[in-house]
PDB file of all heavy atoms in Angstrom:
ATOM      1  N   ASN I 576    -197.120-112.474 160.713  1.00  0.00           N
ATOM      2  CA  ASN I 576    -197.764-111.408 159.839  1.00  0.00           C
ATOM      3  C   ASN I 576    -199.028-110.800 160.516  1.00  0.00           C
ATOM      4  O   ASN I 576    -199.207-109.581 160.485  1.00  0.00           O
ATOM      5  CB  ASN I 576    -198.090-111.932 158.442  1.00  0.00           C
ATOM      6  CG  ASN I 576    -196.848-112.279 157.625  1.00  0.00           C
ATOM      7  OD1 ASN I 576    -195.818-111.610 157.877  1.00  0.00           O
ATOM      8  ND2 ASN I 576    -196.985-113.169 156.687  1.00  0.00           N
ATOM      9  N   ASN I 577    -199.815-111.660 161.028  1.00  0.00           N
ATOM     10  CA  ASN I 577    -201.016-111.220 161.751  1.00  0.00           C
ATOM     11  C   ASN I 577    -200.707-110.405 162.946  1.00  0.00           C
ATOM     12  O   ASN I 577    -201.377-109.421 163.278  1.00  0.00           O
ATOM     13  CB  ASN I 577    -201.932-112.377 162.092  1.00  0.00           C
ATOM     14  CG  ASN I 577    -202.527-113.123 160.918  1.00  0.00           C
ATOM     15  OD1 ASN I 577    -202.587-112.571 159.816  1.00  0.00           O
ATOM     16  ND2 ASN I 577    -202.958-114.339 161.111  1.00  0.00           N
ATOM     17  N   PHE I 578    -199.651-110.771 163.672  1.00  0.00           N
ATOM     18  CA  PHE I 578    -199.282-110.076 164.881  1.00  0.00           C
ATOM     19  C   PHE I 578    -198.786-108.677 164.475  1.00  0.00           C
ATOM     20  O   PHE I 578    -199.081-107.720 165.212  1.00  0.00           O
ATOM     21  CB  PHE I 578    -198.118-110.908 165.537  1.00  0.00           C
ATOM     22  CG  PHE I 578    -197.606-110.217 166.812  1.00  0.00           C
ATOM     23  CD1 PHE I 578    -198.324-110.254 167.974  1.00  0.00           C
ATOM     24  CD2 PHE I 578    -196.406-109.624 166.831  1.00  0.00           C
ATOM     25  CE1 PHE I 578    -197.885-109.658 169.146  1.00  0.00           C
ATOM     26  CE2 PHE I 578    -195.918-109.056 167.989  1.00  0.00           C
ATOM     27  CZ  PHE I 578    -196.655-109.102 169.154  1.00  0.00           C
ATOM     28  N   LEU I 579    -198.030-108.573 163.425  1.00  0.00           N
ATOM     29  CA  LEU I 579    -197.498-107.253 163.035  1.00  0.00           C
ATOM     30  C   LEU I 579    -198.602-106.317 162.555  1.00  0.00           C
ATOM     31  O   LEU I 579    -198.566-105.079 162.801  1.00  0.00           O
ATOM     32  CB  LEU I 579    -196.496-107.446 161.897  1.00  0.00           C
ATOM     33  CG  LEU I 579    -195.191-108.026 162.245  1.00  0.00           C
ATOM     34  CD1 LEU I 579    -194.257-108.236 161.053  1.00  0.00           C
ATOM     35  CD2 LEU I 579    -194.463-107.235 163.317  1.00  0.00           C
ATOM     36  N   GLU I 580    -199.694-106.867 162.019  1.00  0.00           N
ATOM     37  CA  GLU I 580    -200.820-106.034 161.622  1.00  0.00           C
ATOM     38  C   GLU I 580    -201.522-105.464 162.844  1.00  0.00           C
ATOM     39  O   GLU I 580    -202.075-104.334 162.800  1.00  0.00           O
ATOM     40  CB  GLU I 580    -201.845-106.895 160.866  1.00  0.00           C
ATOM     41  CG  GLU I 580    -201.341-107.286 159.494  1.00  0.00           C
ATOM     42  CD  GLU I 580    -202.344-108.197 158.767  1.00  0.00           C
ATOM     43  OE1 GLU I 580    -203.470-108.415 159.339  1.00  0.00           O
ATOM     44  OE2 GLU I 580    -202.123-108.634 157.662  1.00  0.00           O
ATOM     45  N   LEU I 581    -201.476-106.180 163.972  1.00  0.00           N
ATOM     46  CA  LEU I 581    -202.118-105.709 165.168  1.00  0.00           C
ATOM     47  C   LEU I 581    -201.239-104.802 166.006  1.00  0.00           C
ATOM     48  O   LEU I 581    -201.786-104.051 166.874  1.00  0.00           O
ATOM     49  CB  LEU I 581    -202.503-106.913 166.043  1.00  0.00           C
ATOM     50  CG  LEU I 581    -203.580-107.916 165.448  1.00  0.00           C
ATOM     51  CD1 LEU I 581    -203.658-109.143 166.320  1.00  0.00           C
ATOM     52  CD2 LEU I 581    -204.887-107.190 165.280  1.00  0.00           C
ATOM     53  N   ALA I 582    -199.943-104.810 165.775  1.00  0.00           N
ATOM     54  CA  ALA I 582    -198.996-104.079 166.670  1.00  0.00           C
ATOM     55  C   ALA I 582    -198.853-102.629 166.208  1.00  0.00           C
ATOM     56  O   ALA I 582    -198.465-102.396 165.008  1.00  0.00           O
ATOM     57  CB  ALA I 582    -197.684-104.773 166.730  1.00  0.00           C
ATOM     58  N   ALA I 583    -199.163-101.705 167.085  1.00  0.00           N
ATOM     59  CA  ALA I 583    -198.888-100.321 166.796  1.00  0.00           C
ATOM     60  C   ALA I 583    -197.491 -99.986 167.300  1.00  0.00           C
ATOM     61  O   ALA I 583    -197.256 -99.531 168.403  1.00  0.00           O
ATOM     62  CB  ALA I 583    -199.909 -99.459 167.503  1.00  0.00           C
ATOM     63  N   LEU I 584    -196.443-100.231 166.474  1.00  0.00           N
ATOM     64  CA  LEU I 584    -195.083-100.157 166.856  1.00  0.00           C
ATOM     65  C   LEU I 584    -194.679 -98.644 167.056  1.00  0.00           C
ATOM     66  O   LEU I 584    -195.254 -97.699 166.461  1.00  0.00           O
ATOM     67  CB  LEU I 584    -194.136-100.783 165.856  1.00  0.00           C
ATOM     68  CG  LEU I 584    -194.393-102.229 165.558  1.00  0.00           C
ATOM     69  CD1 LEU I 584    -193.483-102.734 164.482  1.00  0.00           C
ATOM     70  CD2 LEU I 584    -194.154-103.009 166.834  1.00  0.00           C
ATOM     71  N   PRO I 585    -193.745 -98.387 167.917  1.00  0.00           N
ATOM     72  CA  PRO I 585    -193.245 -97.036 168.170  1.00  0.00           C
ATOM     73  C   PRO I 585    -192.633 -96.432 166.925  1.00  0.00           C
ATOM     74  O   PRO I 585    -192.296 -97.170 165.940  1.00  0.00           O
ATOM     75  CB  PRO I 585    -192.183 -97.213 169.295  1.00  0.00           C
ATOM     76  CG  PRO I 585    -192.463 -98.511 169.843  1.00  0.00           C
ATOM     77  CD  PRO I 585    -193.054 -99.377 168.859  1.00  0.00           C
ATOM     78  N   ASP I 586    -192.531 -95.113 166.916  1.00  0.00           N
ATOM     79  CA  ASP I 586    -191.869 -94.409 165.804  1.00  0.00           C
ATOM     80  C   ASP I 586    -190.452 -94.942 165.531  1.00  0.00           C
ATOM     81  O   ASP I 586    -189.735 -95.274 166.523  1.00  0.00           O
ATOM     82  CB  ASP I 586    -191.835 -92.902 166.025  1.00  0.00           C
ATOM     83  CG  ASP I 586    -193.212 -92.313 166.128  1.00  0.00           C
ATOM     84  OD1 ASP I 586    -194.182 -92.943 165.565  1.00  0.00           O
ATOM     85  OD2 ASP I 586    -193.442 -91.249 166.768  1.00  0.00           O
ATOM     86  N   HIS I 587    -190.087 -94.953 164.350  1.00  0.00           N
ATOM     87  CA  HIS I 587    -188.719 -95.360 163.881  1.00  0.00           C
ATOM     88  C   HIS I 587    -188.405 -96.830 164.163  1.00  0.00           C
ATOM     89  O   HIS I 587    -187.250 -97.197 164.188  1.00  0.00           O
ATOM     90  CB  HIS I 587    -187.643 -94.489 164.550  1.00  0.00           C
ATOM     91  CG  HIS I 587    -187.882 -92.981 164.439  1.00  0.00           C
ATOM     92  ND1 HIS I 587    -187.948 -92.322 163.175  1.00  0.00           N
ATOM     93  CD2 HIS I 587    -188.206 -92.044 165.341  1.00  0.00           C
ATOM     94  CE1 HIS I 587    -188.193 -91.064 163.357  1.00  0.00           C
ATOM     95  NE2 HIS I 587    -188.379 -90.873 164.630  1.00  0.00           N
ATOM     96  N   ALA I 588    -189.460 -97.613 164.343  1.00  0.00           N
ATOM     97  CA  ALA I 588    -189.192 -99.080 164.546  1.00  0.00           C
ATOM     98  C   ALA I 588    -188.796 -99.708 163.225  1.00  0.00           C
ATOM     99  O   ALA I 588    -189.328 -99.350 162.145  1.00  0.00           O
ATOM    100  CB  ALA I 588    -190.490 -99.759 165.108  1.00  0.00           C
ATOM    101  N   GLU I 589    -187.890-100.660 163.259  1.00  0.00           N
ATOM    102  CA  GLU I 589    -187.463-101.381 162.089  1.00  0.00           C
ATOM    103  C   GLU I 589    -187.777-102.859 162.298  1.00  0.00           C
ATOM    104  O   GLU I 589    -187.684-103.357 163.379  1.00  0.00           O
ATOM    105  CB  GLU I 589    -185.962-101.266 161.848  1.00  0.00           C
ATOM    106  CG  GLU I 589    -185.428 -99.844 161.568  1.00  0.00           C
ATOM    107  CD  GLU I 589    -183.932 -99.868 161.404  1.00  0.00           C
ATOM    108  OE1 GLU I 589    -183.449-100.306 160.369  1.00  0.00           O
ATOM    109  OE2 GLU I 589    -183.238 -99.556 162.376  1.00  0.00           O
ATOM    110  N   ILE I 590    -188.085-103.535 161.233  1.00  0.00           N
ATOM    111  CA  ILE I 590    -188.319-104.952 161.246  1.00  0.00           C
ATOM    112  C   ILE I 590    -187.259-105.655 160.403  1.00  0.00           C
ATOM    113  O   ILE I 590    -187.089-105.445 159.240  1.00  0.00           O
ATOM    114  CB  ILE I 590    -189.750-105.307 160.703  1.00  0.00           C
ATOM    115  CG1 ILE I 590    -190.801-104.658 161.589  1.00  0.00           C
ATOM    116  CG2 ILE I 590    -189.948-106.856 160.671  1.00  0.00           C
ATOM    117  CD1 ILE I 590    -192.258-104.858 161.085  1.00  0.00           C
ATOM    118  N   LEU I 591    -186.535-106.602 161.059  1.00  0.00           N
ATOM    119  CA  LEU I 591    -185.497-107.389 160.413  1.00  0.00           C
ATOM    120  C   LEU I 591    -185.953-108.811 160.252  1.00  0.00           C
ATOM    121  O   LEU I 591    -186.419-109.424 161.200  1.00  0.00           O
ATOM    122  CB  LEU I 591    -184.202-107.334 161.278  1.00  0.00           C
ATOM    123  CG  LEU I 591    -183.685-105.997 161.728  1.00  0.00           C
ATOM    124  CD1 LEU I 591    -182.461-106.148 162.542  1.00  0.00           C
ATOM    125  CD2 LEU I 591    -183.388-105.123 160.491  1.00  0.00           C
ATOM    126  N   GLY I 592    -185.917-109.352 159.065  1.00  0.00           N
ATOM    127  CA  GLY I 592    -186.351-110.649 158.755  1.00  0.00           C
ATOM    128  C   GLY I 592    -187.624-110.673 157.955  1.00  0.00           C
ATOM    129  O   GLY I 592    -187.926-109.686 157.300  1.00  0.00           O
ATOM    130  N   PRO I 593    -188.331-111.828 157.860  1.00  0.00           N
ATOM    131  CA  PRO I 593    -188.112-113.025 158.684  1.00  0.00           C
ATOM    132  C   PRO I 593    -186.969-113.952 158.261  1.00  0.00           C
ATOM    133  O   PRO I 593    -186.587-113.918 157.085  1.00  0.00           O
ATOM    134  CB  PRO I 593    -189.427-113.757 158.592  1.00  0.00           C
ATOM    135  CG  PRO I 593    -189.928-113.392 157.179  1.00  0.00           C
ATOM    136  CD  PRO I 593    -189.449-111.925 156.968  1.00  0.00           C
ATOM    137  N   VAL I 594    -186.491-114.729 159.196  1.00  0.00           N
ATOM    138  CA  VAL I 594    -185.467-115.727 158.930  1.00  0.00           C
ATOM    139  C   VAL I 594    -185.919-117.011 159.633  1.00  0.00           C
ATOM    140  O   VAL I 594    -186.780-116.990 160.501  1.00  0.00           O
ATOM    141  CB  VAL I 594    -184.076-115.274 159.418  1.00  0.00           C
ATOM    142  CG1 VAL I 594    -183.551-114.057 158.626  1.00  0.00           C
ATOM    143  CG2 VAL I 594    -184.059-115.074 160.943  1.00  0.00           C
ATOM    144  N   ASP I 595    -185.282-118.119 159.264  1.00  0.00           N
ATOM    145  CA  ASP I 595    -185.631-119.349 159.945  1.00  0.00           C
ATOM    146  C   ASP I 595    -185.200-119.292 161.410  1.00  0.00           C
ATOM    147  O   ASP I 595    -184.238-118.581 161.770  1.00  0.00           O
ATOM    148  CB  ASP I 595    -184.888-120.564 159.301  1.00  0.00           C
ATOM    149  CG  ASP I 595    -185.485-120.912 157.948  1.00  0.00           C
ATOM    150  OD1 ASP I 595    -186.662-120.489 157.656  1.00  0.00           O
ATOM    151  OD2 ASP I 595    -184.780-121.496 157.104  1.00  0.00           O
ATOM    152  N   LEU I 596    -185.939-119.956 162.259  1.00  0.00           N
ATOM    153  CA  LEU I 596    -185.561-119.976 163.698  1.00  0.00           C
ATOM    154  C   LEU I 596    -184.183-120.609 163.868  1.00  0.00           C
ATOM    155  O   LEU I 596    -183.811-121.590 163.203  1.00  0.00           O
ATOM    156  CB  LEU I 596    -186.582-120.863 164.459  1.00  0.00           C
ATOM    157  CG  LEU I 596    -186.829-120.597 165.949  1.00  0.00           C
ATOM    158  CD1 LEU I 596    -187.251-119.231 166.224  1.00  0.00           C
ATOM    159  CD2 LEU I 596    -187.816-121.594 166.507  1.00  0.00           C
ATOM    160  N   PRO I 597    -183.340-119.975 164.718  1.00  0.00           N
ATOM    161  CA  PRO I 597    -181.942-120.486 164.885  1.00  0.00           C
ATOM    162  C   PRO I 597    -181.971-121.956 165.313  1.00  0.00           C
ATOM    163  O   PRO I 597    -182.896-122.443 165.971  1.00  0.00           O
ATOM    164  CB  PRO I 597    -181.441-119.632 165.990  1.00  0.00           C
ATOM    165  CG  PRO I 597    -182.183-118.387 165.910  1.00  0.00           C
ATOM    166  CD  PRO I 597    -183.571-118.737 165.500  1.00  0.00           C
ATOM    167  N   PRO I 598    -180.950-122.754 164.857  1.00  0.00           N
ATOM    168  CA  PRO I 598    -180.852-124.176 165.193  1.00  0.00           C
ATOM    169  C   PRO I 598    -180.871-124.388 166.734  1.00  0.00           C
ATOM    170  O   PRO I 598    -180.269-123.647 167.465  1.00  0.00           O
ATOM    171  CB  PRO I 598    -179.498-124.614 164.602  1.00  0.00           C
ATOM    172  CG  PRO I 598    -179.263-123.598 163.542  1.00  0.00           C
ATOM    173  CD  PRO I 598    -179.828-122.306 164.020  1.00  0.00           C
ATOM    174  N   GLY I 599    -181.573-125.389 167.141  1.00  0.00           N
ATOM    175  CA  GLY I 599    -181.610-125.740 168.524  1.00  0.00           C
ATOM    176  C   GLY I 599    -182.854-125.162 169.222  1.00  0.00           C
ATOM    177  O   GLY I 599    -183.173-125.492 170.412  1.00  0.00           O
ATOM    178  N   LEU I 600    -183.604-124.175 168.657  1.00  0.00           N
ATOM    179  CA  LEU I 600    -184.717-123.583 169.209  1.00  0.00           C
ATOM    180  C   LEU I 600    -186.031-124.115 168.677  1.00  0.00           C
ATOM    181  O   LEU I 600    -186.016-124.500 167.499  1.00  0.00           O
ATOM    182  CB  LEU I 600    -184.682-122.060 169.012  1.00  0.00           C
ATOM    183  CG  LEU I 600    -183.598-121.247 169.650  1.00  0.00           C
ATOM    184  CD1 LEU I 600    -183.659-119.792 169.294  1.00  0.00           C
ATOM    185  CD2 LEU I 600    -183.554-121.473 171.135  1.00  0.00           C
ATOM    186  N   SER I 601    -186.999-124.115 169.469  1.00  0.00           N
ATOM    187  CA  SER I 601    -188.357-124.642 169.044  1.00  0.00           C
ATOM    188  C   SER I 601    -189.362-123.755 169.623  1.00  0.00           C
ATOM    189  O   SER I 601    -189.123-123.049 170.659  1.00  0.00           O
ATOM    190  CB  SER I 601    -188.547-126.075 169.462  1.00  0.00           C
ATOM    191  OG  SER I 601    -188.505-126.212 170.855  1.00  0.00           O
ATOM    192  N   LEU I 602    -190.559-123.760 169.047  1.00  0.00           N
ATOM    193  CA  LEU I 602    -191.682-122.938 169.577  1.00  0.00           C
ATOM    194  C   LEU I 602    -192.344-123.631 170.769  1.00  0.00           C
ATOM    195  O   LEU I 602    -192.357-124.838 170.870  1.00  0.00           O
ATOM    196  CB  LEU I 602    -192.698-122.719 168.500  1.00  0.00           C
ATOM    197  CG  LEU I 602    -192.256-121.890 167.259  1.00  0.00           C
ATOM    198  CD1 LEU I 602    -193.398-121.856 166.206  1.00  0.00           C
ATOM    199  CD2 LEU I 602    -191.873-120.514 167.701  1.00  0.00           C
ATOM    200  N   PRO I 603    -192.858-122.784 171.658  1.00  0.00           N
ATOM    201  CA  PRO I 603    -193.611-123.418 172.857  1.00  0.00           C
ATOM    202  C   PRO I 603    -194.909-123.995 172.298  1.00  0.00           C
ATOM    203  O   PRO I 603    -195.497-123.631 171.317  1.00  0.00           O
ATOM    204  CB  PRO I 603    -193.826-122.174 173.704  1.00  0.00           C
ATOM    205  CG  PRO I 603    -193.802-121.034 172.787  1.00  0.00           C
ATOM    206  CD  PRO I 603    -192.848-121.322 171.762  1.00  0.00           C
ATOM    207  N   GLY I 604    -195.346-124.973 172.995  1.00  0.00           N
ATOM    208  CA  GLY I 604    -196.637-125.621 172.673  1.00  0.00           C
ATOM    209  C   GLY I 604    -196.493-126.641 171.493  1.00  0.00           C
ATOM    210  O   GLY I 604    -195.436-126.976 171.063  1.00  0.00           O
ATOM    211  N   GLU I 605    -197.590-127.036 170.933  1.00  0.00           N
ATOM    212  CA  GLU I 605    -197.648-127.995 169.804  1.00  0.00           C
ATOM    213  C   GLU I 605    -197.563-127.218 168.491  1.00  0.00           C
ATOM    214  O   GLU I 605    -198.325-126.215 168.325  1.00  0.00           O
ATOM    215  CB  GLU I 605    -198.881-128.872 169.916  1.00  0.00           C
ATOM    216  CG  GLU I 605    -198.929-129.790 171.157  1.00  0.00           C
ATOM    217  CD  GLU I 605    -200.141-130.646 171.146  1.00  0.00           C
ATOM    218  OE1 GLU I 605    -200.919-130.582 170.178  1.00  0.00           O
ATOM    219  OE2 GLU I 605    -200.260-131.386 172.141  1.00  0.00           O
ATOM    220  N   TYR I 606    -196.789-127.647 167.583  1.00  0.00           N
ATOM    221  CA  TYR I 606    -196.647-126.957 166.353  1.00  0.00           C
ATOM    222  C   TYR I 606    -196.406-127.978 165.222  1.00  0.00           C
ATOM    223  O   TYR I 606    -195.497-128.801 165.344  1.00  0.00           O
ATOM    224  CB  TYR I 606    -195.452-125.952 166.393  1.00  0.00           C
ATOM    225  CG  TYR I 606    -195.246-125.202 165.058  1.00  0.00           C
ATOM    226  CD1 TYR I 606    -196.099-124.153 164.798  1.00  0.00           C
ATOM    227  CD2 TYR I 606    -194.221-125.471 164.217  1.00  0.00           C
ATOM    228  CE1 TYR I 606    -195.980-123.394 163.664  1.00  0.00           C
ATOM    229  CE2 TYR I 606    -194.076-124.778 163.081  1.00  0.00           C
ATOM    230  CZ  TYR I 606    -194.912-123.717 162.720  1.00  0.00           C
ATOM    231  OH  TYR I 606    -194.811-123.007 161.624  1.00  0.00           O
ATOM    232  N   ASP I 607    -197.348-128.011 164.238  1.00  0.00           N
ATOM    233  CA  ASP I 607    -197.241-128.878 163.100  1.00  0.00           C
ATOM    234  C   ASP I 607    -196.499-128.189 161.941  1.00  0.00           C
ATOM    235  O   ASP I 607    -197.055-127.446 161.213  1.00  0.00           O
ATOM    236  CB  ASP I 607    -198.613-129.331 162.692  1.00  0.00           C
ATOM    237  CG  ASP I 607    -198.611-130.374 161.574  1.00  0.00           C
ATOM    238  OD1 ASP I 607    -197.489-130.695 161.098  1.00  0.00           O
ATOM    239  OD2 ASP I 607    -199.653-130.963 161.270  1.00  0.00           O
ATOM    240  N   GLU I 608    -195.179-128.475 161.854  1.00  0.00           N
ATOM    241  CA  GLU I 608    -194.348-127.845 160.807  1.00  0.00           C
ATOM    242  C   GLU I 608    -194.812-128.217 159.393  1.00  0.00           C
ATOM    243  O   GLU I 608    -194.723-127.448 158.473  1.00  0.00           O
ATOM    244  CB  GLU I 608    -192.874-128.194 161.037  1.00  0.00           C
ATOM    245  CG  GLU I 608    -191.941-127.435 160.119  1.00  0.00           C
ATOM    246  CD  GLU I 608    -190.489-127.649 160.512  1.00  0.00           C
ATOM    247  OE1 GLU I 608    -190.237-127.766 161.719  1.00  0.00           O
ATOM    248  OE2 GLU I 608    -189.621-127.636 159.563  1.00  0.00           O
ATOM    249  N   SER I 609    -195.352-129.474 159.255  1.00  0.00           N
ATOM    250  CA  SER I 609    -195.773-129.903 157.906  1.00  0.00           C
ATOM    251  C   SER I 609    -196.953-129.062 157.441  1.00  0.00           C
ATOM    252  O   SER I 609    -197.246-128.898 156.189  1.00  0.00           O
ATOM    253  CB  SER I 609    -196.113-131.371 157.913  1.00  0.00           C
ATOM    254  OG  SER I 609    -197.173-131.622 158.822  1.00  0.00           O
ATOM    255  N   GLN I 610    -197.729-128.540 158.374  1.00  0.00           N
ATOM    256  CA  GLN I 610    -198.976-127.785 158.044  1.00  0.00           C
ATOM    257  C   GLN I 610    -198.721-126.356 157.941  1.00  0.00           C
ATOM    258  O   GLN I 610    -199.160-125.578 157.012  1.00  0.00           O
ATOM    259  CB  GLN I 610    -200.069-128.014 159.065  1.00  0.00           C
ATOM    260  CG  GLN I 610    -201.396-127.289 158.758  1.00  0.00           C
ATOM    261  CD  GLN I 610    -202.522-127.610 159.786  1.00  0.00           C
ATOM    262  OE1 GLN I 610    -202.241-128.442 160.662  1.00  0.00           O
ATOM    263  NE2 GLN I 610    -203.620-126.946 159.643  1.00  0.00           N
ATOM    264  N   TYR I 611    -197.874-125.812 158.847  1.00  0.00           N
ATOM    265  CA  TYR I 611    -197.714-124.334 158.941  1.00  0.00           C
ATOM    266  C   TYR I 611    -196.353-123.828 158.425  1.00  0.00           C
ATOM    267  O   TYR I 611    -196.099-122.614 158.381  1.00  0.00           O
ATOM    268  CB  TYR I 611    -197.866-123.830 160.416  1.00  0.00           C
ATOM    269  CG  TYR I 611    -199.180-124.196 160.942  1.00  0.00           C
ATOM    270  CD1 TYR I 611    -199.343-125.171 161.931  1.00  0.00           C
ATOM    271  CD2 TYR I 611    -200.337-123.545 160.534  1.00  0.00           C
ATOM    272  CE1 TYR I 611    -200.556-125.537 162.474  1.00  0.00           C
ATOM    273  CE2 TYR I 611    -201.658-123.918 161.094  1.00  0.00           C
ATOM    274  CZ  TYR I 611    -201.691-124.905 162.042  1.00  0.00           C
ATOM    275  OH  TYR I 611    -202.960-125.195 162.530  1.00  0.00           O
ATOM    276  N   GLY I 612    -195.498-124.762 158.037  1.00  0.00           N
ATOM    277  CA  GLY I 612    -194.194-124.412 157.503  1.00  0.00           C
ATOM    278  C   GLY I 612    -193.188-124.243 158.587  1.00  0.00           C
ATOM    279  O   GLY I 612    -193.528-124.262 159.834  1.00  0.00           O
ATOM    280  N   PRO I 613    -191.894-124.131 158.269  1.00  0.00           N
ATOM    281  CA  PRO I 613    -190.849-123.970 159.345  1.00  0.00           C
ATOM    282  C   PRO I 613    -191.104-122.720 160.100  1.00  0.00           C
ATOM    283  O   PRO I 613    -191.486-121.693 159.604  1.00  0.00           O
ATOM    284  CB  PRO I 613    -189.610-123.905 158.498  1.00  0.00           C
ATOM    285  CG  PRO I 613    -189.987-123.485 157.156  1.00  0.00           C
ATOM    286  CD  PRO I 613    -191.331-124.012 156.937  1.00  0.00           C
ATOM    287  N   PRO I 614    -190.783-122.758 161.422  1.00  0.00           N
ATOM    288  CA  PRO I 614    -190.983-121.588 162.261  1.00  0.00           C
ATOM    289  C   PRO I 614    -190.001-120.460 161.849  1.00  0.00           C
ATOM    290  O   PRO I 614    -188.880-120.722 161.441  1.00  0.00           O
ATOM    291  CB  PRO I 614    -190.702-122.090 163.707  1.00  0.00           C
ATOM    292  CG  PRO I 614    -189.899-123.304 163.449  1.00  0.00           C
ATOM    293  CD  PRO I 614    -190.356-123.924 162.198  1.00  0.00           C
ATOM    294  N   GLN I 615    -190.482-119.228 162.015  1.00  0.00           N
ATOM    295  CA  GLN I 615    -189.683-118.073 161.570  1.00  0.00           C
ATOM    296  C   GLN I 615    -189.431-117.188 162.712  1.00  0.00           C
ATOM    297  O   GLN I 615    -189.975-117.290 163.858  1.00  0.00           O
ATOM    298  CB  GLN I 615    -190.440-117.274 160.481  1.00  0.00           C
ATOM    299  CG  GLN I 615    -190.923-118.110 159.296  1.00  0.00           C
ATOM    300  CD  GLN I 615    -189.765-118.343 158.345  1.00  0.00           C
ATOM    301  OE1 GLN I 615    -189.191-117.466 157.779  1.00  0.00           O
ATOM    302  NE2 GLN I 615    -189.480-119.630 158.173  1.00  0.00           N
ATOM    303  N   ARG I 616    -188.431-116.252 162.529  1.00  0.00           N
ATOM    304  CA  ARG I 616    -188.108-115.204 163.537  1.00  0.00           C
ATOM    305  C   ARG I 616    -188.011-113.894 162.885  1.00  0.00           C
ATOM    306  O   ARG I 616    -187.398-113.751 161.808  1.00  0.00           O
ATOM    307  CB  ARG I 616    -186.820-115.565 164.276  1.00  0.00           C
ATOM    308  CG  ARG I 616    -186.208-114.386 164.983  1.00  0.00           C
ATOM    309  CD  ARG I 616    -185.105-114.803 165.935  1.00  0.00           C
ATOM    310  NE  ARG I 616    -185.591-115.492 167.095  1.00  0.00           N
ATOM    311  CZ  ARG I 616    -184.799-115.852 168.115  1.00  0.00           C
ATOM    312  NH1 ARG I 616    -183.501-115.556 168.066  1.00  0.00           N
ATOM    313  NH2 ARG I 616    -185.296-116.529 169.137  1.00  0.00           N
TER     314      ARG I 616
END
């Protein structure tokens, strides 16, 4: 959400989602799911 607030997207851009990250994928770096919730896409 914070990233989208900063992004000046091109005209006619559409945003699909958010949805849960597909099975088998994980975020880079350290991520505490219990604190920040399940990763989204």
Side-chain angles (χ1 to χ4, degrees):
N576 291 335
N577 293 341
F578 180 75
L579 290 177
E580 290 177 3
L581 297 171
L584 298 178
D586 294 338
H587 310 295
E589 297 178 79
I590 299 176
L591 309 178
V594 297
D595 289 339
L596 203 61
L600 295 181
S601 60
L602 292 177
E605 297 181 1
Y606 181 75
D607 186 353
E608 188 170 326
S609 62
Q610 181 177 357
Y611 302 109
Q615 304 285 299
R616 163 171 287 187

